[in-house]
Amino acid sequence: MHQLSLPYVLILFGSCAAVRHTVNARGQQGGTPEPPPLEDTLMSVFDQNKDGQVVMTEVSSIMEAFAAVGAGSSAGGDEKGEENDMLKMVKAAKGAAPTLFKLLDADSSKGLTKDELVWVSEADVRMNTKGLLKNVTKAVFDIFDGDADDKLQEAEIKEALDGEKFDQALLVLQDNFPIPILTAEVARTAVKENFKDGMAFMDADGNGEIARAEMYEAVKKVKKLFTKGVTIVRTMGPMLAMFGAMQ
């Protein structure tokens, strides 16, 4: 699984993202309790030493724990020898985590507080707002597709990165998935650092260009991985946090 570059590293992974579920009728009646805020869950899972912040080594440690559990599930694969969904999700999250961590670290303290992790919670809601992700993808694609041929060539994307088109695309992303400290300079750097992997992920047929349908499909994969991450963090995270506290 390739790393993902911006614009999708910004919206796609919280390496630890989780889908917030609304309270159902039973919960409102006192049955199933409402889940805690996502940022609280993330802190309880990833803040291993309980000092009020999450550092990158803690993220890596928990990711390795998730990977170990995934590897132990049906020997880490299916009957065709392919990796199971959990391992795929963990690999993708591990690839995106360093970039996302840097972007969310508003005060450059090399640690994420609960306030900084609120972005993941807000992105979670927006990610699962019907039609929003598709509309954002369409808008970004249209901005980059200068000749309107429904294809993005590598040269076309690189040219857009250094001009106003990238600024316009970033405004679309910030309007829908805002990161407080994200500037055009920081975003450009992140895209360029991950450009090769991002192209490989979205260029499904390997012909050197990204068709509109390929970008839509890539975003669908991202959303699927995001949702898988949610379920795993919600169900397995507290258990891993408990074992970590006992060590």
Side-chain angles (χ1 to χ4, degrees):
M1 175 66 66
H2 296 280
Q3 281 186 337
L4 302 180
S5 65
L6 282 172
Y8 295 105
V9 75
L10 302 183
I11 56 180
L12 53 169
F13 295 115
S15 45
C16 40
V19 173
R20 188 190 303 273
H21 298 289
T22 54
V23 183
N24 58 25
R26 286 188 306 160
Q28 293 173 341
Q29 296 170 5
T32 304
E34 181 178 1
L38 178 54
E39 57 270 22
D40 288 348
T41 300
L42 294 172
M43 287 298 294
S44 68
V45 172
F46 289 96
D47 181 16
Q48 293 178 295
N49 63 2
K50 306 307 176 187
D51 65 348
Q53 64 176 356
V54 176
V55 297
M56 194 60 217
T57 53
E58 290 174 319
V59 173
S60 299
S61 176
I62 292 296
M63 286 294 170
E64 290 300 329
F66 280 135
V69 173
S73 176
S74 299
D78 58 18
E79 63 276 5
K80 297 180 181 179
E82 297 180 355
E83 292 179 334
N84 60 40
D85 286 343
M86 182 172 176
L87 276 179
K88 291 178 181 179
M89 184 281 300
V90 172
K91 282 191 174 182
K94 286 170 69 177
T99 299
L100 187 61
F101 188 98
K102 185 185 300 183
L103 294 173
L104 295 181
D105 185 14
D107 57 5
S108 300
S109 65
K110 300 188 184 303
L112 300 181
T113 64
K114 185 169 74 171
D115 287 342
E116 289 170 323
L117 287 173
V118 167
W119 178 88
V120 181
S121 182
E122 294 172 348
D124 156 37
V125 175
R126 292 169 184 264
M127 175 78 77
N128 290 280
T129 299
K130 186 176 180 179
L132 178 60
L133 195 55
K134 183 176 181 179
N135 291 337
V136 169
T137 304
K138 180 181 184 302
V140 170
F141 191 98
D142 288 344
I143 291 170
F144 276 65
D145 187 20
D147 55 8
D149 65 350
D150 277 345
K151 295 180 290 186
L152 300 180
Q153 286 78 28
E154 183 173 335
E156 191 174 20
I157 299 172
K158 287 183 176 179
E159 180 181 356
L161 287 180
D162 292 320
E164 293 183 0
K165 289 182 179 179
F166 183 81
D167 296 337
Q168 294 169 10
L170 185 60
L171 284 175
V172 172
L173 291 171
Q174 285 289 69
D175 283 345
N176 291 280
F177 298 92
I179 296 179
I181 66 163
L182 186 62
T183 64
E185 181 180 356
V186 171
R188 277 193 179 89
T189 300
V191 171
K192 289 179 179 180
E193 288 177 349
N194 297 279
F195 186 85
K196 183 177 179 180
D197 288 328
M199 278 291 298
F201 179 78
M202 289 183 278
D203 180 16
D205 60 11
N207 68 348
E209 59 187 23
I210 301 170
R212 185 182 293 272
E214 286 179 317
M215 182 170 280
Y216 286 163
E217 188 61 29
V219 174
K220 286 171 62 176
K221 290 179 181 178
V222 163
K223 186 173 181 179
K224 180 180 178 180
L225 290 169
F226 188 99
T227 303
K228 288 287 183 182
V230 170
T231 303
I232 291 169
V233 168
R234 287 289 192 196
T235 57
M236 297 178 54
M239 176 188 70
L240 291 176
M242 179 183 69
F243 285 145
M246 294 171 61
Q247 292 178 351

